[in-house]
Amino acid sequence: MLDALHHALRAAPDRPAVLGAARTGAVRVKATCADLADLTDRYAAALHRRGITRGSTVGVAVRPGARALAVMLAVHRLGARAAVLDPGAGPDVLRARLALARPDAVLADAAAQAVAGWGRRLAHHARLALPDLEDLGPVATVGPRLPGCAPVLDGDAVPAALPRPVDEDGDAVIVFTSGTTSRPRAVVHTRSSLAAGMTAVAALARPEAGRPVLGGTFFVLVPSLAAGAAVALPARPPRLLARQLAGLDPQLTYLTPPQLRRLLARRARFTGRVWTGSAPVSAGLLTRVKQAGADEAWGVYALTELFPAAAVEQADKAAFTGQGDLVGAPLPGVTARTDATGQLLLSGPAARHRYLGEDPDPWIATGDRAHLDGGRIVLEGRCKDMVLRRAENIYPGLYEPSLHIPGVESALLVGVPAADGDERLVAVVQPVPGTDPAALRAALAGPLRRMGSARPDAVLLADIPLSGRSRKPDRAAASRLAAARLGAARPTAGGRG
């Protein structure tokens, strides 16, 4: 699909490709198809002149957008692999990660270089930090260059010198997921697994030419552009994002659950089909999205190791009455089973080839407990999130969906250490803005009673902390919040907090 995209861009040079939003929310063309194709050719030529060939590794620290996409397409054309750098991981972790990946070159925009250099103190307040990029490999600037930045990547490139595109399988992208400075962990996708993931997204989302798509991830950009649809990058400020959504009338929207909740709080209206993932998706959230105008509202279950794995539409999720979180049937080609401990294992053409430095393995250990219900995947919680209370193992994901009643924005069950070495189970519930706390507590009484031995020791109404680039609920931070708010007292089940 990446190769097909390049031909599609050249076939319609004047068509808008990447869109942004003005302050009023009006649509602004950030790049046409010709702009994107030309950028890709220039970057490929410049990288080739710097010795990047099949098997090379290129570190990429470029903000999402047309330039980042052009960089990825250029690296793919040369048969090299891109190692994605996350400024939120911290310099020590990144240095250890890149020592494992050993990049032959590092591409960074001016913002990333500022984070690593003269703007380090300012970036620290935004929890962003990069090591000195020169320590990782030869650096080149993508986009406008500021004083103190490395030379511009395509300053002397000659597109006519482009080599023939690589047309064989090999490593395509490295994405670091977890680990420590002593043992970093990275997912390696090949060109074939990346192509299979793109094909799965296209079949699932069904983008069509002529009407825009709202979403900023690589897996949204490529299938949509290849189908002839322009892609609008979501604005960061919620107020501007709401205006952008109103002005676009998108056929498809892909946003994270926190982004959707912020839009719903502003009474935004949706059109077409809406997709969300990267964090737990409740039936209540999908229902509110459909009530706000969407034709369909889908939750996507995906991992860095396999994107996408399963999907479920609001009607099916809302109709599910069993315990756990229904995330849908495995997508075509995806095989799901559980191991002896109840952990979900996945395999398929879009699955990562291996972890960097490890042998290939066809099965992905997801870290999620699950069971299969008529072939559909029902999650029971993260294996590592188990709470041990009075010698009983409690998996929060098995019970959290029952707390997502009307008026609840999000809910977590977390363990809080008790003085006797045991753990208290606390439900941290974030109300929908404007919800009456007393009425919500009364409404929660029924679901709490039905939780049986997993009934929490306390219920705390509070905003749930988020973390990471996808703004997932932060269980560790929620546990600390519960401990601080509830203090040393041990409330009775369903007690006030």
Side-chain angles (χ1 to χ4, degrees):
M1 184 173 291
L2 288 168
D3 295 329
L5 173 58
H6 190 75
H7 296 298
L9 295 175
R10 287 300 184 195
D14 297 327
R15 178 169 56 84
V18 181
L19 309 175
R23 289 181 178 272
T24 61
V27 177
R28 183 165 60 90
V29 177
K30 297 175 75 73
T32 64
C33 289
D35 293 334
L36 194 52
D38 289 344
L39 268 178
T40 300
D41 287 349
R42 293 208 311 270
Y43 291 164
L47 288 169
H48 183 63
R49 287 164 67 96
R50 284 168 167 76
I52 301 301
T53 59
R54 184 179 182 277
S56 298
T57 300
V58 179
V60 179
V62 182
R63 287 168 295 176
R67 293 190 184 95
L69 177 58
V71 163
M72 299 296 285
L73 294 176
V75 170
H76 184 270
R77 179 189 180 99
L78 297 174
R81 63 184 186 181
V84 181
L85 310 183
D86 178 9
D92 294 337
V93 172
L94 274 175
R95 192 176 287 109
R97 289 176 172 180
L98 270 297
L100 181 64
R102 298 177 184 174
D104 300 284
V106 175
L107 306 184
D109 55 24
Q113 294 179 63
V115 169
W118 58 266
R120 182 177 285 126
R121 288 187 177 181
L122 185 62
H124 175 73
H125 294 292
R127 298 184 180 180
L128 301 175
L130 286 170
D132 291 331
L133 296 177
E134 291 81 1
D135 294 344
L136 308 177
V139 182
T141 298
V142 172
R145 178 183 180 276
L146 295 177
C149 288
V152 175
L153 170 65
D154 55 335
D156 57 355
V158 181
L162 276 170
R164 291 177 60 86
V166 171
D167 188 22
E168 56 187 86
D169 204 7
D171 291 353
V173 64
I174 302 172
V175 183
F176 293 93
T177 58
S178 59
T180 64
T181 54
S182 61
R183 192 179 179 185
R185 201 146 200 235
V187 170
V188 180
H189 276 284
T190 61
R191 295 162 69 91
S192 59
S193 70
L194 201 61
M198 299 289 182
T199 301
V201 170
L204 185 63
R206 310 185 307 279
E208 299 176 355
R211 191 175 169 192
V213 170
L214 177 63
T217 70
F218 190 63
F219 278 93
V220 171
L221 282 159
V222 173
S224 300
L225 290 170
V231 180
L233 304 178
R236 282 182 173 273
R239 180 179 300 178
L240 181 54
L241 179 57
R243 292 174 179 170
Q244 182 185 28
L245 180 65
L248 274 173
D249 185 32
Q251 60 169 310
L252 302 170
T253 297
Y254 189 96
L255 297 171
T256 64
Q259 287 174 310
L260 290 180
R261 286 194 284 265
R262 287 193 288 267
L263 285 172
L264 289 167
R266 294 184 173 276
R267 302 184 184 278
R269 300 293 298 174
F270 294 92
T271 57
R273 299 187 298 280
V274 177
W275 305 80
T276 188
S278 300
V281 182
S282 68
L285 177 60
L286 296 180
T287 299
R288 292 170 62 200
V289 169
K290 283 185 77 169
Q291 290 172 343
D295 298 327
E296 300 173 8
W298 290 80
V300 180
Y301 177 57
L303 304 90
T304 306
E305 292 88 344
L306 200 165
F307 188 103
V312 63
E313 209 277 325
Q314 176 272 338
D316 290 333
K317 195 172 181 84
F320 180 69
T321 57
Q323 284 192 326
D325 182 17
L326 175 68
V327 295
L331 295 178
V334 176
T335 302
R337 65 180 177 87
T338 56
D339 65 14
T341 68
Q343 179 179 205
L344 177 66
L345 305 179
L346 297 173
S347 185
R352 56 97 183 95
H353 180 253
R354 66 190 188 283
Y355 292 102
L356 191 62
E358 300 180 20
D359 293 331
D361 184 350
W363 288 98
I364 296 167
T366 64
D368 289 321
R369 280 180 53 87
H371 67 271
L372 298 179
D373 180 296
R376 302 180 301 175
I377 299 172
V378 181
L379 300 183
E380 299 176 353
R382 296 289 292 170
C383 298
K384 66 179 182 181
D385 293 332
M386 182 192 77
V387 178
L388 181 61
R389 183 180 64 172
R390 295 188 290 276
E392 180 183 5
N393 296 341
I394 299 172
Y395 291 93
L398 192 59
Y399 303 99
E400 286 168 350
S402 66
L403 299 176
H404 286 91
I405 63 173
V408 172
E409 190 92 292
S410 184
L412 294 180
L413 288 172
V414 297
V416 175
D420 58 2
D422 199 0
E423 284 188 287
R424 297 160 58 197
L425 184 65
V426 178
V428 183
V429 177
Q430 179 173 326
V432 171
T435 301
D436 177 65
L440 183 57
R441 286 187 178 279
L444 284 168
L448 290 169
R449 281 194 301 270
R450 290 190 294 272
M451 291 171 68
S453 62
R455 185 179 179 185
D457 299 297
V459 176
L460 173 66
L461 301 187
D463 288 345
I464 291 176
L466 305 176
S467 65
R469 298 174 67 181
S470 59
R471 309 304 292 155
K472 294 182 180 181
D474 188 329
R475 289 185 181 274
S479 177
R480 293 192 296 271
L481 172 67
R485 291 277 295 272
L486 298 175
R490 181 188 289 271
T492 56
R496 302 187 65 84

